[in-house]
Amino acid sequence: IEGHPSSSHQTLKGTSKWATSLENLLEDPEGVKRFREFLKKEFSEENVLFWLACEEFKKTQGKKQMQEKAKEIYMTFLSSKASSQVNVEGQSRLNETILETPHPLMFQKLQDQIFNLMKYDSYSRFLKSEIFLNHKKSEEQEENSPEAQTAAKRASRIYNT
């Protein structure tokens, strides 16, 4: 523990980081988990699942894998019979012909739409939700636990000498 900077020197993490932007929230696996939990209650979990699938898709190598993944995304989120259909503009015009020539950014426009939908809609509600606030509370309790305080005191002694 010696030599660790006290919490004021640490970069934002956990709920403080999630609260800065949806991007930061989505970069943190724990944040994604809590956000999904929240969206599930709001019956809109498919939005974050679609966004994550698109992120994953961009890393896909090889035309065959791309076609398979693109089809999976299409069937899961975009087709009219999709089990977890996301609501994007121009959905009715989307059809399987887009799958014939897959490329890493083929879903980018739709992904951006969903991102904005989450950002201006669910995300702000998430920051006021019980899930978020309870997580924040448990983080604060951990930080204020006697062990954390003695470590911080020790650290501040090191810095003040």
Side-chain angles (χ1 to χ4, degrees):
I1 297 189
E2 301 298 327
H4 263 300
S6 67
S7 51
S8 61
H9 295 272
Q10 279 171 3
T11 51
L12 288 176
K13 58 179 200 278
T15 50
S16 354
K17 190 172 180 186
W18 305 349
T20 53
S21 73
L22 179 56
E23 287 87 343
N24 283 338
L25 171 69
L26 293 170
E27 274 168 16
D28 181 349
E30 182 63 26
V32 169
K33 198 173 124 188
R34 301 292 170 179
F35 193 44
R36 278 182 64 177
E37 215 176 292
F38 170 74
L39 291 177
K40 212 176 250 171
K41 289 187 166 163
E42 291 216 326
F43 303 103
S44 60
E45 189 190 16
E46 68 280 354
N47 289 338
V48 74
L49 295 177
F50 173 70
W51 188 89
L52 292 165
C54 292
E55 281 301 283
E56 201 50 41
F57 178 76
K58 290 176 197 169
K59 300 179 200 137
T60 307
Q61 303 289 315
K63 190 171 176 186
K64 192 169 171 6
Q65 272 98 330
M66 245 185 190
Q67 270 176 317
E68 283 167 15
K69 271 224 162 114
K71 187 175 170 115
E72 202 178 298
I73 289 176
Y74 178 78
M75 297 314 278
T76 310
F77 301 105
L78 300 169
S79 102
S80 54
K81 301 182 201 64
S83 51
S84 304
Q85 195 179 32
V86 290
N87 190 2
V88 285
E89 227 170 281
Q91 192 137 26
S92 55
R93 293 191 301 277
L94 278 177
N95 59 48
E96 290 188 44
T97 54
I98 62 165
L99 304 176
E100 287 159 20
T101 49
H103 57 90
L105 300 177
M106 64 189 282
F107 296 116
Q108 189 63 56
K109 264 202 180 101
L110 304 176
Q111 187 186 7
D112 291 344
Q113 272 186 45
I114 290 298
F115 180 83
N116 286 329
L117 181 73
M118 292 191 297
K119 183 175 180 174
Y120 297 111
D121 187 37
S122 334
Y123 174 63
S124 47
R125 282 200 306 278
F126 170 68
L127 295 179
K128 298 182 193 101
S129 74
E130 224 168 82
I131 293 174
F132 178 81
L133 297 171
N134 288 342
H135 194 75
K136 189 177 171 153
K137 205 182 290 168
S138 65
E139 278 178 351
E140 285 162 3
Q141 281 163 349
E142 273 168 42
E143 277 170 29
N144 297 329
S145 72
E147 301 87 71
Q149 282 183 337
T150 49
K153 277 197 190 97
R154 271 206 303 276
S156 67
R157 271 205 302 276
I158 297 164
Y159 282 105
N160 295 335
T161 51

